[in-house]
């Protein structure tokens, strides 16, 4: 039931792009994205509420394909500060239970 | 605006003991949820409180219990501690009873069970 993220880990050089995918076996009605740096709490990046919605700020954007039950996070021209573990999250439909995806560890090298 | 604060930040207990963790929600937020994050894993949803009522629960046994107070602060209680309960416990606050809003996380309470 936990959304599966891919890749599990990725290493980039500064300035490179990355895509993180989040796929669910259950219907998704909203998707959150969070970044968690080592030893810190998760920090909200963005929420997508409608199928097909795309959002972005700075050089991080995301898309949500409700039909395919998946969301993707796009990191453009990555910076050292992008390093961390990225989680997608969603509410289990019809409940108030919240679940996080399996996580993607991203490391940006200088 | 005060963020989400948790206490204590670190604690060590022995197997069989009981622990209470505390969380003050962000100003204006009426929903608090709790998560267990084992080392190297993602956060696992324990339960959520909205206006002092539990309205959602994950796959955790009854020895994990909670409270939300009229000021929307919250407690997580764990009885009969087991070694596997060692983890970072995160509290998050949000506005409204659904999970479509942003979750604001505290820095967590790191529990070690010996």
């Amino acid at each position: 039931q936990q959304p599966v993220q891919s890749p599990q880990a990725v290493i980039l050089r500064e300035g490179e792009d990355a895509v993180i995918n989040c796929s669910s076996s259950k219907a998704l009605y909203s998707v959150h994205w969070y970044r968690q740096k080592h030893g810190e709490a998760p920090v909200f990046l963005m929420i997508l509420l409608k199928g097909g919605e795309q959002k972005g700020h700075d050089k991080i954007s995301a898309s949500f394909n409700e039909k395919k039950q998946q969301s993707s996070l796009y990191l453009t021209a990555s910076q050292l500060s992008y390093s961390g573990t990225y989680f997608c999250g969603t509410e289990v439909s019809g409940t108030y239970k919240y679940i996080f995806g399996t996580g993607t560890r991203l490391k940006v090298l200088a | 605006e005060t963020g989400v604060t948790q206490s204590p930040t670190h604690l060590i207990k022995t197997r069989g003991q009981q622990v209470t963790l505390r969380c003050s929600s962000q100003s204006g937020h009426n929903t608090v949820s709790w998560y267990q994050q084992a080392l190297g894993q993602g956060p696992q949803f324990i339960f959520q409180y909205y206006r002092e009522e539990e309205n959602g629960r994950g796959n955790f046994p009854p020895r994990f219990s909670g409270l939300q107070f009229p000021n929307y602060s919250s407690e997580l209680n764990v009885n009969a501690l087991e070694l596997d309960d060692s983890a970072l416990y995160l509290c998050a606050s949000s506005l409204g009873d659904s999970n479509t809003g942003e979750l604001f996380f505290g820095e967590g309470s790191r529990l070690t069970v010996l």
Side-chain angles (χ1 to χ4, degrees):
Chain A
Q1 194 171 358
Q2 182 180 26
V4 176
Q5 292 182 228
S6 62
Q8 287 184 308
V10 58
I11 299 175
L12 302 171
R13 291 281 178 191
E14 249 186 315
E16 291 182 338
D17 303 339
V19 180
I20 299 171
N21 300 302
C22 171
S23 293
S24 174
S25 59
K26 305 277 187 179
L28 289 173
Y29 298 104
S30 68
V31 177
H32 296 173
W33 284 96
Y34 289 85
R35 176 172 60 215
Q36 185 176 29
K37 292 183 180 286
H38 183 69
E40 299 180 9
V43 172
F44 173 83
L45 293 175
M46 63 188 76
I47 179 173
L48 301 105
L49 291 174
K50 299 177 187 175
E53 185 175 25
Q54 297 192 33
K55 277 195 172 181
H57 61 85
D58 199 10
K59 293 188 173 70
I60 299 176
S61 61
S63 64
F64 179 22
N65 188 322
E66 196 177 342
K67 211 169 184 180
K68 291 185 178 179
Q69 297 173 182
Q70 62 185 216
S71 176
S72 295
L73 187 72
Y74 306 93
L75 299 103
T76 306
S78 56
Q79 306 166 18
L80 294 175
S81 61
Y82 287 2
S83 293
T85 301
Y86 289 77
F87 293 101
C88 62
T90 188
E91 179 179 307
V92 179
S93 175
T95 74
Y96 291 110
K97 297 180 184 180
Y98 191 84
I99 51 174
F100 283 89
T102 51
T104 296
R105 286 190 304 278
L106 185 141
K107 186 167 181 62
V108 181
L109 303 175
Chain B
E1 186 176 89
T2 308
V4 178
T5 58
Q6 292 186 242
S7 63
T9 53
H10 294 81
L11 69 166
I12 299 173
K13 292 283 188 178
T14 55
R15 199 168 46 180
Q17 285 188 311
Q18 178 264 343
V19 68
T20 297
L21 307 178
R22 295 179 176 82
C23 171
S24 292
S25 58
Q26 181 151 318
S27 177
H29 286 182
N30 53 16
T31 302
V32 172
S33 49
W34 285 91
Y35 302 82
Q36 180 194 65
Q37 187 172 26
L39 206 58
Q41 305 294 318
Q44 299 295 313
F45 176 77
I46 302 175
F47 43 55
Q48 174 176 287
Y49 280 84
Y50 171 66
R51 293 186 177 178
E52 303 177 60
E53 297 279 337
E54 182 183 299
N55 69 348
R57 190 177 181 92
N59 297 325
F60 281 81
R63 59 188 185 84
F64 285 79
S65 63
L67 282 174
Q68 187 179 33
F69 300 100
N71 66 355
Y72 303 131
S73 66
S74 178
E75 282 182 358
L76 164 66
N77 298 291
V78 187
N79 293 322
L81 284 168
E82 301 177 358
L83 297 179
D84 284 349
D85 294 335
S86 294
L88 179 68
Y89 288 85
L90 293 164
C91 158
S93 75
S94 56
L95 190 58
D97 62 344
S98 75
N99 280 305
T100 55
E102 176 180 350
L103 297 177
F104 291 81
F105 283 89
E107 293 297 317
S109 294
R110 184 162 295 283
L111 171 66
T112 301
V113 182
L114 302 176

